[in-house]
Amino acid sequence: MGNVFSLDGKMYKIGTVLWDFVVAGLLWVVFSLPIVTIGASTTALYYAFTKKSAGEDDFIMKGFWKSFKANFVKATAIFFIIAAATFVLWMNIFILGQQDLGWLNVPVTFALYFVLMQIAFMSIYAFGILARFEMTAVGALRAGLFMAYRYFAVTVVNALLLAVAVLGSMFIPEVLVFLIGGYICLSSSLLVKVFRRHDPDFGKLA
């Protein structure tokens, strides 16, 4: 029984994971308050937690701040590209709903939702890619779309986790910090496995 509550016990490990969820969520919420910094704070969290998942670094705050400063411009550019594209698509979908284009309504609506899905797929990977690889904002988006289809099963799991985090936060705002932090932590562990398929040495060097 004593082993359960020891530093190597299950309870301690579970508590550590839950604490990571809370820390991650708090960091994301606080640094995302200006709204325009959402991309930078998301990238920074991915940097900190992919390093933690890969066994490179356990100091979350240190890694977060390092990436936040280093990737601020490119991460913000990705955020604006995604936000602008999403806004334009939703506006078109809304306007289309007020129009009667006859038989064109179905294919046009399908096309708009299809493009929206591509943006969602890119978003799942782009910030994590930017966090750990040196490339441009556009390059991270391209790589994100490629990986989304190359590792479709991982993409589906990631999308489901994100949906749970977003919907859960909408219906129960009090758990926003925990759910967002949990999503980033779990998503980071999935991305580490994907990155290692492209680079076998990823995460093995401190």
Side-chain angles (χ1 to χ4, degrees):
M1 187 69 176
N3 291 332
V4 175
F5 295 97
S6 68
L7 292 180
D8 294 322
K10 292 182 179 180
M11 291 302 295
Y12 179 81
K13 291 179 180 178
I14 292 174
T16 299
V17 171
L18 295 179
W19 176 246
D20 286 342
F21 286 7
V22 174
V23 170
L26 284 172
L27 284 172
W28 189 87
V29 170
V30 171
F31 281 84
S32 295
L33 286 177
I35 304 301
V36 295
T37 57
I38 289 177
S41 59
T42 302
T43 300
L45 267 191
Y46 270 116
Y47 178 83
F49 279 98
T50 51
K51 288 184 75 69
K52 184 178 178 65
S53 295
E56 296 178 79
D57 191 358
D58 284 331
F59 297 101
I60 298 172
M61 188 62 198
K62 178 183 176 182
F64 179 91
W65 184 239
K66 176 182 178 181
S67 177
F68 188 86
K69 293 185 295 181
N71 295 308
F72 183 85
V73 174
K74 288 188 285 188
T76 301
I78 289 179
F79 172 70
F80 274 110
I81 291 172
I82 291 173
T86 301
F87 175 77
V88 170
L89 285 167
W90 274 121
M91 285 300 296
N92 276 277
I93 291 172
F94 174 77
I95 293 172
L96 183 63
Q98 313 303 312
Q99 306 295 320
D100 183 11
L101 302 180
W103 67 272
L104 282 175
N105 272 86
V106 173
V108 173
T109 301
F110 176 83
L112 290 172
Y113 275 109
F114 179 78
V115 176
L116 195 62
M117 184 176 71
Q118 309 315 302
I119 294 174
F121 282 178
M122 284 191 292
S123 302
I124 288 173
Y125 290 88
F127 294 108
I129 291 172
L130 181 64
R132 299 307 306 271
F133 299 97
E134 185 61 39
M135 62 177 62
T136 64
V138 174
L141 288 169
R142 288 176 179 168
L145 187 60
F146 166 77
M147 287 188 175
Y149 284 98
R150 175 66 179 81
Y151 305 104
F152 194 70
V154 175
T155 303
V156 171
V157 173
N158 240 317
L160 290 174
L161 289 173
L162 181 58
V164 169
V166 172
L167 293 176
S169 300
M170 289 173 61
F171 289 105
I172 314 175
E174 294 80 7
V175 297
L176 169 66
V177 168
F178 181 81
L179 290 177
I180 294 299
Y183 169 71
I184 295 293
C185 292
L186 295 174
S187 177
S188 293
S189 65
L190 292 174
L191 291 188
V192 166
K193 294 178 181 179
V194 169
F195 294 161
R196 279 178 173 162
R197 294 183 186 180
H198 287 272
D199 179 7
D201 293 324
F202 179 86
K204 293 183 179 180
L205 300 177

